[in-house]
Amino acid sequence: MPPSCCGFLSQYTHHHLVAFLLTFFSYVFLHASRKTFSNVKVSISAQWTPSPQNASSPAFSPSETWESNRLFETEEQATLFLGALDSIFLFSYAVGLYLSGVIGDRVNLRYVLCFGLCGSAAVGFAFGTLTEWLHLYNIYLYCSLWVLNGLLQSTVWPCVVAVMANWFGKTGSGFVFGLWSACASVGNILGAFLASSMLKYGYEYTFLVTSVVQFAGGVVVFFGLLTSPKEVGLSTACETGLSPVETDTHRPLMSDGEEEEEENEDGAYSRNHSVQQQDEPREESKAVGFFQAFCLPGVLPYSLAYACLKLVNYSFFFWLPFYLSNNYGWKEAEADRLSMWYDVGGIIGGTVQGLITDVLGKRSPVLGLSLALAMASLVGYSHSPNDKAANAALLAITGFFIGGPSNMISSAISADLGRQDAVRGSREALATVTGIVDGTGSIGAAGGQYLVSLIESKLGWLSVFYFFVIMTGGSVVFIAPLILKDVRAMWRERQALHHQL
């Protein structure tokens, strides 16, 4: 049984807190800038279509200037291009994740993280602010900038997960990573708040503010982040401040639980396969290759499950404000604020479900139950009434059951996969495995964004939500063997404990 969360949290040092906060806010600022594009789609669509076709166009725009800015004949064409931009971003993001994970295991994580944050901020400023100021409206320019943005943003997630695993990857990681993985949802809330606040000045200023904040965050990371306890002279055993009983680096929560423990003469526990003592110096292991990491146990099923789940999660991320505005007729700023409730549910879901996995000692059963309930919540939300309070409540519930598992797979489970027995707990596998899981998820999400816009234009939003239900069910299918394996292991442990009593 893992220690209580208050017990082990009290044993962390201030260095752990600094690493937690810097990596947390690095991704908060990144997601805030990413969310900006989602929250201003209505304004961008209005800017790209002629005023007779778009009732939401600004009344003060001179007709000749408006016609010169026109990229598309109708709002439907603009919407399809916005969906294509989402797919372009996610495909380039996925390719970048496969590469940046490998790079992050071979180059100083702080350098890679700072480069991604500052570079992405510059591209976001060029895409949303500079093109508007200079009246540069060109499809190929927008596509090129968004490909570059996806590649640069892909460097951030594998690096922050690897840094977190270096500092917190020993025990109780479900709760810690569940709390920390709220960074994406907090970033979404921050981005939605900034967008709703700045839209009255023009959508270009929302890009300006989030880009400046993200660039400043990259500078702070460069000068303040410590990527490993070794940089401040802390030994491996001091990474969590826990006794050797609780600091077995080779015990991810996805193990089958069949290995027995035996007590040594000092009262500490060791594995039957003779795990090396933590205090003993170990040779530097070589970085794990990409294909070797891909073949690690659990990596492929969780990657495929995450592809289905991230498609749903990112569809809410990219399309929720647009859906609320178009389907219910609510103002864009109101839709932005209402969309925050989905992220509030994701924050609570990731933290609570992560804590439950620490108590149970297994992750997949909690994941499977949450996804099953997510399918029911999606059906319920698809029939949400035209009432903001009811919509917000249903959004929070849906975010709890979808955002929670998504946060767990991308953070705690990825860290578990990167330090399992097959790689002997090597830190050189963490960023690579994280990049593979998140990269595969982004490929699924990339294809899904164009499908969402296509299904909506042909069949309507109700069909989109049933498509989400199918994808969520697919994620359960991919991890079903792991769920059954962990349930059987938990049953055997329960039976063994019963016989002992």
Side-chain angles (χ1 to χ4, degrees):
M1 179 72 66
S4 66
C5 60
C6 295
F8 71 75
L9 285 178
S10 65
Q11 300 181 57
Y12 291 132
T13 68
H14 72 280
H15 295 295
H16 292 83
L17 178 62
V18 171
F20 184 99
L21 292 177
L22 284 179
T23 53
F24 183 90
F25 282 103
S26 294
Y27 211 67
V28 165
F29 297 148
L30 186 80
H31 244 260
S33 65
R34 192 184 298 177
K35 183 67 172 175
T36 297
F37 178 68
S38 306
N39 287 344
V40 299
K41 278 183 174 178
V42 173
S43 295
I44 293 177
S45 177
Q47 186 73 354
W48 288 350
T49 52
S51 52
Q53 297 287 344
N54 199 321
S56 60
S57 60
F60 56 79
S61 296
S63 58
E64 61 274 11
T65 303
W66 188 253
E67 290 297 325
S68 67
N69 296 350
R70 184 182 58 136
L71 286 177
F72 303 99
E73 295 289 339
T74 64
E75 188 176 359
E76 288 74 19
Q77 292 177 357
T79 301
L80 284 174
F81 181 66
L82 289 171
L85 280 179
D86 290 337
S87 294
I88 287 171
F89 170 82
L90 286 172
F91 272 122
S92 60
Y93 183 72
V95 172
L97 281 168
Y98 288 131
L99 298 175
S100 60
V102 177
I103 294 172
D105 282 331
R106 290 159 173 80
V107 181
N108 190 298
L109 292 169
R110 180 165 56 92
Y111 298 156
V112 179
L113 182 56
C114 177
F115 175 77
L117 286 170
C118 294
S120 171
V123 172
F125 169 77
F127 178 93
T129 305
L130 199 59
T131 55
E132 182 63 25
W133 283 352
L134 300 179
H135 302 294
L136 297 174
Y137 305 103
N138 184 276
I139 292 175
Y140 300 105
L141 175 62
Y142 286 132
C143 290
S144 299
L145 287 173
W146 232 223
V147 167
L148 181 59
N149 191 35
L151 293 173
L152 288 169
Q153 289 203 15
S154 69
T155 63
V156 177
W157 185 251
C159 292
V160 292
V161 172
V163 172
M164 279 293 295
N166 286 344
W167 285 97
F168 298 93
K170 297 293 186 180
T171 188
S173 58
F175 175 76
V176 174
F177 273 96
L179 185 64
W180 176 83
S181 64
C183 56
S185 297
V186 172
N188 294 342
I189 294 172
L190 177 62
F193 173 77
L194 291 175
S196 62
S197 301
M198 300 301 297
L199 263 175
K200 58 186 176 182
Y201 303 107
Y203 75 83
E204 65 271 22
Y205 290 98
T206 63
F207 282 96
L208 173 64
V209 171
T210 53
S211 296
V212 170
V213 171
Q214 181 182 327
F215 191 92
V219 174
V220 172
V221 164
F222 182 80
F223 289 104
L225 180 64
L226 297 172
T227 61
S228 171
K230 296 178 182 178
E231 294 186 17
V232 288
L234 294 178
S235 65
T236 305
C238 294
E239 291 181 26
T240 61
L242 298 174
S243 65
V245 175
E246 305 293 346
T247 54
D248 185 355
T249 56
H250 310 301
R251 290 188 65 183
L253 292 190
M254 277 128 15
S255 61
D256 57 16
E258 295 179 0
E259 296 169 334
E260 297 181 355
E261 294 177 340
E262 57 185 13
E263 189 174 2
N264 61 24
E265 58 188 8
D266 297 322
Y269 288 85
S270 60
R271 290 288 177 184
N272 284 341
H273 57 274
S274 302
V275 174
Q276 201 170 354
Q277 291 296 323
Q278 304 246 352
D279 294 334
E280 295 177 4
R282 297 193 299 183
E283 296 181 3
E284 288 294 326
S285 55
K286 295 181 180 179
V288 174
F290 176 84
F291 291 104
Q292 181 184 356
F294 209 102
C295 295
L296 290 173
V299 171
L300 182 58
Y302 273 112
S303 296
L304 295 175
Y306 193 50
C308 297
L309 186 58
K310 192 169 184 177
L311 183 154
V312 178
N313 197 40
Y314 263 58
S315 295
F316 273 88
F317 173 82
F318 282 119
W319 290 103
L320 183 56
F322 187 87
Y323 164 74
L324 293 173
S325 180
N326 280 26
N327 195 58
Y328 296 103
W330 297 332
K331 293 181 179 179
E332 190 174 18
E334 294 175 340
D336 290 343
R337 287 191 291 269
L338 189 63
S339 68
M340 297 180 190
W341 287 102
Y342 178 82
D343 296 297
V344 171
I347 293 172
I348 300 173
T351 305
V352 171
Q353 293 174 36
L355 181 59
I356 293 174
T357 63
D358 284 339
V359 174
L360 293 179
K362 302 292 180 185
R363 302 207 195 280
S364 62
V366 178
L367 204 65
L369 177 60
S370 181
L371 291 174
L373 294 173
M375 289 187 281
S377 68
L378 282 168
V379 174
Y381 183 72
S382 68
H383 295 88
S384 174
N386 192 352
D387 179 80
K388 294 178 182 178
N391 200 289
L394 290 171
L395 267 180
I397 294 172
T398 304
F400 183 94
F401 292 120
I402 293 178
S406 179
N407 290 343
M408 273 207 300
I409 294 177
S410 62
S411 57
I413 289 176
S414 293
D416 285 344
L417 292 169
R419 65 173 187 268
Q420 57 185 297
D421 290 337
V423 289
R424 305 295 296 171
S426 171
R427 296 300 178 204
E428 286 78 5
L430 283 168
T432 301
V433 170
T434 302
I436 289 172
V437 174
D438 203 17
T440 307
S442 296
I443 290 176
Q449 301 322 299
Y450 187 75
L451 287 175
V452 167
S453 59
L454 187 62
I455 294 173
E456 188 277 329
S457 63
K458 301 294 184 182
L459 302 174
W461 283 108
L462 185 61
S463 298
V464 171
F465 282 103
Y466 284 119
F467 172 62
F468 292 162
V469 172
I470 294 172
M471 289 296 100
T472 305
S475 65
V476 177
V477 171
F478 283 122
I479 62 171
L482 300 175
I483 296 174
L484 294 175
K485 180 180 179 182
D486 281 348
V487 169
R488 285 197 299 266
M490 292 171 61
W491 175 256
R492 285 195 296 268
E493 291 171 2
R494 182 181 178 87
Q495 291 295 104
L497 181 61
H498 177 73
H499 289 311
Q500 288 178 2
L501 296 176

